[in-house]
Amino acid sequence: MKSWIHFSKGQVPHQAHVGVGELKEDELGRQGFSGRVAELYHVNEPTGWTRIEGPLRPWDVDSNKLTPSDQDDPRGVPLKAFYNADVSIAISRRSAPMPYYVRNADGDEIYFIHRGTGTFETEFGPLAYEPGDYIALPKGVTYRVVPDGADNFFMLIESVAEVEFPDYGGLGRHAPFDPAVIQVPEPQVLEANGQQEWELRIKRESEYTSVYYPFHPLDVAGWKGDLFPFKMNIRDYRPIMSDRLHLPPSVHCIFQAKGFVVCNFMPRPAESERDVERVPWYHRNIDYDEVVLVHAGTLLGLEVPPGMMLVNPQGIHHGLGEEFRQWEKANWRKDEYFDWQLINVDCERPIKVTPEVQAAVSEKPPVLK
Ligand SMILES: [Fe+2]
């Protein structure tokens, strides 16, 4: 429900997120901050709890400590980390080429390349990969991952529903990225090279079935249509920003599907007006659980470990703490630049955390406390 009926009561700034002063601004937002909203101006820090009892809690995971079976075994698979009925987020650390081809009959896949280079051999043709790439593989496409070296790290997002780009509305045809930056494969028939038999592993309802062929499964001489694998790199995403207002995460959306959105927070200048809030305020993103991967960069010059994954569930406050906010205000520079590179998956249904990942919970880095 969209409404333009807004009230202001008590001690509030003239404009939300500007001139907040000593109060603690807290946003209670529907529909991932694109729906109805309340700004609440607290006297105390909303995340200043003494302890939490019960299942609702934020998770801070050092994904570098996760060891998916594909890290050491070429026949291994990614490790499912976070999931609900609409979407699952897995970590793949594949160190050797897949000795089989694979086809996901459960849903669309988006690989985000955190580390490593190599090739996705697809039946549409090859797609080379490098850090910062999104490799989008529609449900049903046959492919194989062939890394160049052993050190690879992918976040694999699997969606039950079809993944699409959001509608960027009035931003025109070239923002936040020029659609022509999207790369699609050129067809390439691969040679047998003496091999007698090829295995195709089909995943359906999370179970694998192997189908064997006496010829190479990547034998497509040509293709046409509007369903295809593709890639694009985050460097080609040019974030929408306002110099005078910190904009909500919804403006940084890159993919959407039923039940979740993917937003990427990419490098940009900080808001330059002195009393404009730069640090995201406390919030309850009450219709979404948030899963964040720290890909690269810093938080206003402070180190954030690459590979950290943070889960912030619906209902419980999050936001950078008062200590950080005071530090940021004390060190304010007009020409500050945010060099962060964060990949954020906002999920409507509550996210479950697999036992393997619960065992890898790490201390929140001091900068994020
Ligand atoms: Fe958030």
Side-chain angles (χ1 to χ4, degrees), residues 16-315:
H17 322 317
V18 181
V20 172
E22 294 304 309
L23 293 172
K24 323 302 178 200
E25 189 176 48
D26 164 28
E27 184 158 321
L28 172 58
R30 304 303 302 265
Q31 298 169 34
F33 307 116
S34 60
R36 291 197 298 155
V37 69
E39 302 301 323
L40 300 152
Y41 295 90
H42 295 267
V43 173
N44 298 300
E45 188 179 5
T47 52
W49 49 71
T50 51
R51 67 180 181 280
I52 296 175
E53 295 177 351
L56 192 61
R57 52 161 290 183
W59 294 91
D60 306 303
V61 175
D62 182 356
S63 63
N64 296 294
K65 292 180 180 162
L66 300 176
T67 51
S69 61
D70 65 7
Q71 185 169 357
D72 298 315
D73 177 4
R75 295 191 64 82
V77 293
L79 173 66
K80 185 154 89 169
F82 311 105
Y83 65 99
N84 64 23
D86 301 313
V87 59
S88 79
I89 299 164
I91 300 299
S92 169
R93 301 182 67 177
R94 174 160 292 285
S95 56
M98 287 177 173
Y100 47 76
Y101 289 81
V102 68
R103 177 186 298 161
N104 190 337
D106 284 335
D108 284 12
E109 292 179 327
I110 295 174
Y111 282 77
F112 176 74
I113 311 301
H114 177 53
R115 285 205 308 270
T117 61
T119 304
F120 281 72
E121 292 179 350
T122 84
E123 60 194 317
F124 291 69
L127 285 170
Y129 70 81
E130 62 174 319
D133 276 346
Y134 291 110
I135 306 285
L137 297 156
K139 183 179 181 180
V141 168
T142 302
Y143 69 94
R144 182 171 87 114
V145 182
V146 183
D148 289 338
D151 186 20
N152 296 275
F153 199 118
F154 314 140
M155 179 170 73
L156 170 56
I157 302 167
E158 181 185 317
S159 171
V160 173
E162 196 170 344
V163 176
E164 59 183 14
F165 289 114
D167 179 2
Y168 291 113
L171 292 175
R173 302 301 300 275
H174 302 105
F177 61 89
D178 182 338
V181 302
I182 290 168
Q183 294 182 43
V184 295
E186 296 293 326
Q188 186 179 83
V189 176
L190 294 183
E191 301 296 326
N193 281 336
Q195 194 170 333
Q196 301 295 314
E197 188 179 64
W198 287 261
E199 178 186 3
L200 167 63
R201 298 177 85 191
I202 301 173
K203 184 164 90 70
R204 179 63 177 159
E205 294 195 308
S206 299
E207 291 183 329
Y208 288 96
T209 299
S210 290
V211 179
Y212 296 89
Y213 290 91
F215 53 82
H216 203 302
L218 302 194
D219 63 348
V220 173
W223 63 268
K224 59 191 295 187
D226 61 358
L227 180 67
F228 43 77
F230 66 87
K231 72 167 184 175
M232 67 172 287
N233 194 280
I234 53 172
R235 77 171 77 88
D236 290 323
Y237 186 94
R238 294 166 193 270
I240 306 304
M241 60 165 297
S242 163
D243 200 30
R244 302 186 60 216
L245 189 67
H246 185 97
L247 298 177
S250 46
V251 301
H252 303 289
C253 187
I254 174 74
F255 298 112
Q256 66 182 25
K258 181 181 174 296
F260 76 98
V261 296
V262 180
C263 305
N264 44 203
F265 305 115
M266 290 297 117
R268 64 172 178 83
E271 296 79 3
S272 73
E273 205 167 276
R274 186 66 179 96
D275 61 350
V276 170
E277 291 290 309
R278 285 176 166 177
V279 179
W281 38 87
Y282 300 102
H283 54 281
R284 278 161 284 175
N285 189 1
I286 197 62
D287 290 326
Y288 286 90
D289 278 16
E290 303 176 5
V291 182
V292 183
L293 169 71
V294 177
H295 173 57
T298 67
L299 197 60
L300 291 92
L302 300 176
E303 296 294 328
V304 189
M308 276 300 294
M309 297 189 77
L310 314 174
V311 180
N312 288 300
Q314 300 168 35

Side-chain angles (χ1 to χ4, degrees), residues 307-328:
M308 276 300 294
M309 297 189 77
L310 314 174
V311 180
N312 288 300
Q314 300 168 35
I316 197 159
H317 276 102
H318 65 281
L320 296 162
E322 238 10 66
E323 196 179 332
F324 181 83
R325 287 166 197 277
Q326 296 306 328
W327 179 89
E328 188 273 332

